[in-house]
Amino acid sequence: MPGGGGWQGARVHSIKEPEGGRRYARALVAAAPAPAMVSVLFSLSLSRLGLWAAGLIWILGFFKLIRLLLRRQMLARAMDSFPGPPTHWLLGHAHEIQRTGSLDRVVSWAHQFPYAHPLWVGPFLGFLNIYEPDYAKAVYSRGGKGLLVLQGPKWYQHHKLLTPGFHYDVLKPYVAVFANSTHAMLDKWEEKAHEDKSFDIFCDVGHMALDSLMKCTFGKGDGGLGHRGSSYYSAISELTLLMQQRTESFQYHNDFIYWLTPHGRHFLRACQAAHDHTDQVIRERKAVLQFEKEQQKIQSQRHLNFLDILLGAQDENGIKLSDAGLRAEVDTFMFEGHDTTTSGICWFLYCMALHPEHQHCCREEVCEILGDRDSFQWDDLGKMTYLTMCIKESFRLYPPVPQVYRQLSKPVNFVDGRSLPAGSLISLHIYALHRNSAVWPDPEVFDPLRFSPENVATRHPFAFMPFSAGPRNCIGQQFAMNEMKVVTALCLLRFEFALDPLRPPIKMPQLILRSKNGIHLRLKSLRPGSGK
């Protein structure tokens, strides 16, 4: 062969290859011009590389499957002493818990299987689903690994730095913040009330709660959320939906697969939008604090917002939160603080519309406390005894977070002699716990007197857990209760709430407790001269 072609041909013929189907390819290479031979060689190399890659993926997939099967075997063996409802071989109980009415389905299982039962989401993810106070105490009265939060020394360090942010001296001025945001929402509701038809209150309450939280967290937010706040609200709402969908869909449990799906990419975009908002606010606040005058101004203020407290917090060694730690805590506070409060307020107002006699008693109490004043003070909140009992009873029937998860860091022994090893997964089904007829007589009945001091004193301390319990309970529960009292009291002063019988809410767990079709109520203005 002329030129370099002869060398290329000899080079190719020196390679040992299988006989048969490749002879034609070898002859073609031997006869081809140099550029063509390079192209064919490159194609053969790519083909071999593809085979190697496919083989490697197959081997990795095989080992991943073996690992998942061993994990399933470990979880199944750990829960072997706990009978439960029948499972689908592939979906587990996912096909049941994804249906409308799944919450009440779990309540029926709780009657059938006292204390606890296995709950499988897909073939490889299994929880022990508990809904009995002694079982809850065994798990939540000690440390453990939260599935969505920090753990160990890092959690302890952050918790210690955050605690001053929820001291009652810090919370006192927030009463006025809650009231301002609520009045803005109620003014909009005055217009809707005049239309004399029901409307979904969930979105309005959500924007109000986020506006309050942004003021308390960042010291911002007057005159509405603005474009940035609305974008943040949308991102948070999308994340709650996507996280619930991922939990219930076993095919999304693997990270690699999930990030390749449209749902996974949507989750990443929403997550990035939320992080970008938080990062920008932190950068802006840090830039302002560079000026000495601003620092002196903050130190002279009667109260600080949550971000300023975090920026100034340091442990006994003078170590402050990192930027990543700051963002994580702010995102957690925002994420958990506004959605849960929104759910709690909406379901409380639904309960008031459903039980007008209790609505009337709450309104009378609030009017008596307020007297001839036009705004609430910090000391007023402790006097709202009947309203507080009604709030807690609505929390019992409609807990803002109906289910929480935990991974055991140590083995646990239960009161009936059964046990679980370390590494086991626990699902505390708060909704089913709060409707456990062994703990709550007539559990479907709305009865605020369950939370009278004498009844609370005789009840198991782990029977009522709207904010979880134990050492890792909700650090912001006092903040949430204060906001609930202020918002609901002002709502009852301004309006009378009634049901829309054509649009009853359909309960739907989505990290928080929502309604699939919204919470539609009719409002009657109680302002003098409203014409209603």
Side-chain angles (χ1 to χ4, degrees):
M1 186 173 288
W7 178 86
Q8 293 285 1
R11 180 71 173 169
V12 170
H13 280 291
S14 70
I15 300 174
K16 293 183 180 180
E17 295 181 341
E19 296 300 323
R22 296 191 181 177
R23 287 177 178 171
Y24 177 75
R26 291 169 59 194
L28 181 64
V29 171
M37 283 192 292
V38 171
S39 176
V40 172
L41 281 170
F42 183 67
S43 298
L44 289 172
S45 299
L46 282 180
S47 176
R48 289 175 178 173
L49 184 62
L51 289 172
W52 275 102
L56 181 61
I57 291 172
W58 188 90
I59 292 171
L60 290 175
F62 177 75
F63 280 111
K64 179 68 174 178
L65 179 61
I66 294 297
R67 185 179 174 187
L68 289 171
L69 288 172
L70 290 174
R71 177 169 177 76
R72 175 185 170 83
Q73 187 180 34
M74 183 274 289
L75 291 172
R77 189 183 297 118
M79 296 187 288
D80 193 46
S81 59
F82 297 91
T87 64
H88 186 276
W89 69 273
L90 180 64
L91 302 176
H93 299 105
H95 63 302
E96 292 281 356
I97 62 178
Q98 288 175 354
R99 293 178 182 175
T100 300
S102 64
L103 289 170
D104 294 312
R105 180 68 172 152
V106 175
V107 173
S108 70
W109 287 341
H111 291 301
Q112 190 177 354
F113 307 102
Y115 296 103
H117 68 76
L119 184 67
W120 288 93
V121 185
F124 303 117
L125 187 61
F127 299 87
L128 182 67
N129 196 38
I130 65 175
Y131 31 74
E132 197 276 335
D134 282 317
Y135 266 53
K137 180 181 179 181
V139 175
Y140 284 84
S141 62
R142 59 185 197 156
K145 179 181 176 183
L147 297 186
L148 297 175
V149 293
L150 291 173
Q151 57 199 335
K154 198 168 186 179
W155 171 84
Y156 179 77
Q157 179 207 19
H158 282 215
H159 188 275
K160 199 172 181 181
L161 292 173
L162 291 174
T163 300
F166 296 97
H167 191 272
Y168 73 92
D169 282 335
V170 175
L171 298 178
K172 279 183 180 180
Y174 291 163
V175 172
V177 175
F178 300 150
N180 289 336
S181 296
T182 305
H183 282 305
M185 178 186 72
L186 298 180
D187 290 341
K188 295 178 183 177
W189 282 4
E190 287 284 353
E191 299 175 11
K192 294 182 178 182
H194 283 291
E195 297 175 5
D196 197 26
K197 60 182 181 181
S198 70
F199 63 93
D200 180 14
I201 64 171
F202 205 95
C203 187
D204 289 338
V205 174
H207 279 88
M208 178 277 300
L210 183 58
D211 184 54
S212 289
L213 205 56
M214 291 184 75
K215 291 173 184 175
C216 296
T217 306
F218 304 127
K220 291 189 171 190
D222 46 19
L225 289 177
H227 173 71
R228 275 171 53 184
S230 296
S231 299
Y232 186 77
Y233 178 80
S234 299
I236 294 296
S237 299
E238 289 171 2
L239 286 171
T240 59
L241 173 61
L242 291 166
M243 288 175 71
Q244 184 69 24
Q245 288 176 340
R246 187 181 185 188
T247 301
E248 294 177 350
S249 305
F250 76 91
Q251 67 270 27
Y252 291 157
H253 292 171
N254 180 271
D255 287 343
F256 179 76
I257 294 174
Y258 184 63
W259 303 135
L260 294 177
T261 66
H263 277 84
R265 293 193 295 271
H266 189 183
F267 180 90
L268 289 175
R269 288 194 299 270
C271 211
Q272 190 60 50
H275 287 335
D276 288 346
H277 175 273
T278 306
D279 287 342
Q280 184 173 351
V281 172
I282 290 174
R283 282 196 305 270
E284 291 173 355
R285 193 59 185 158
K286 275 189 167 183
V288 170
L289 292 177
Q290 295 297 318
F291 298 99
E292 187 177 345
K293 286 185 179 179
E294 185 65 23
Q295 292 182 6
Q296 293 174 352
K297 178 182 175 183
I298 289 174
Q299 291 172 359
S300 65
Q301 286 178 350
R302 291 178 53 244
H303 67 279
L304 302 176
N305 62 57
F306 184 65
L307 179 57
D308 286 344
I309 291 172
L310 286 180
L311 288 170
Q314 58 184 27
D315 63 16
E316 58 273 11
N317 299 318
I319 299 175
K320 294 188 174 184
L321 285 171
S322 65
D323 286 348
L326 276 171
R327 186 179 73 178
E329 295 303 339
V330 170
D331 278 343
T332 300
F333 186 57
M334 296 296 294
F335 186 80
E336 295 182 359
H338 97 274
D339 243 8
T340 52
T341 306
T342 299
S343 175
I345 292 169
C346 289
W347 287 107
F348 169 84
L349 293 176
Y350 168 73
C351 288
M352 293 294 96
L354 190 61
H355 304 285
E357 68 280 13
H358 296 299
Q359 180 181 168
H360 177 72
C361 291
C362 288
R363 186 177 292 110
E364 280 196 332
E365 179 185 68
V366 170
C367 287
E368 184 178 343
I369 291 171
L370 193 60
D372 56 359
R373 292 179 288 126
D374 58 2
S375 61
F376 290 110
Q377 306 297 324
W378 170 263
D379 293 338
D380 294 331
L381 304 185
K383 301 173 185 176
M384 299 177 180
T385 54
Y386 198 80
L387 178 68
T388 301
M389 288 192 294
C390 286
I391 290 174
K392 289 182 176 180
E393 179 67 348
S394 72
F395 278 169
R396 183 187 70 82
L397 285 168
Y398 305 99
V401 182
Q403 192 173 11
V404 293
Y405 305 95
R406 181 71 58 90
Q407 184 174 27
L408 296 180
S409 57
K410 298 178 182 178
V412 61
N413 295 309
F414 294 113
V415 65
D416 57 358
R418 293 182 287 187
S419 61
L420 279 180
S424 301
L425 301 177
I426 297 289
S427 157
L428 172 62
H429 207 285
I430 297 175
Y431 184 91
L433 171 69
H434 287 180
R435 292 173 186 252
N436 187 334
S437 57
V439 182
W440 307 93
D442 299 319
E444 301 298 327
V445 175
F446 185 88
D447 180 11
L449 292 179
R450 299 180 198 271
F451 294 94
S452 65
E454 55 271 19
N455 286 330
V456 170
T458 59
R459 191 162 50 240
H460 197 294
F462 284 79
F464 180 64
M465 298 175 62
F467 299 103
S468 190
R472 297 192 65 149
N473 65 353
C474 176
I475 192 175
Q477 59 182 287
Q478 191 61 49
F479 177 96
M481 279 300 295
N482 291 346
E483 183 175 10
M484 284 284 299
K485 290 179 185 180
V486 173
V487 174
T488 55
L490 291 174
C491 286
L492 293 174
L493 284 173
R494 287 276 290 270
F495 297 101
E496 186 178 285
F497 294 86
L499 297 175
D500 181 347
L502 300 178
R503 292 180 173 181
I506 301 171
K507 294 177 295 234
M508 178 179 68
Q510 201 180 89
L511 292 189
I512 62 164
L513 184 61
R514 296 178 179 268
S515 170
K516 186 175 182 180
N517 58 335
I519 297 180
H520 289 81
L521 300 178
R522 289 182 175 272
L523 274 63
K524 176 182 176 182
S525 178
L526 298 176
R527 274 189 165 182
S530 64
K532 298 285 289 176

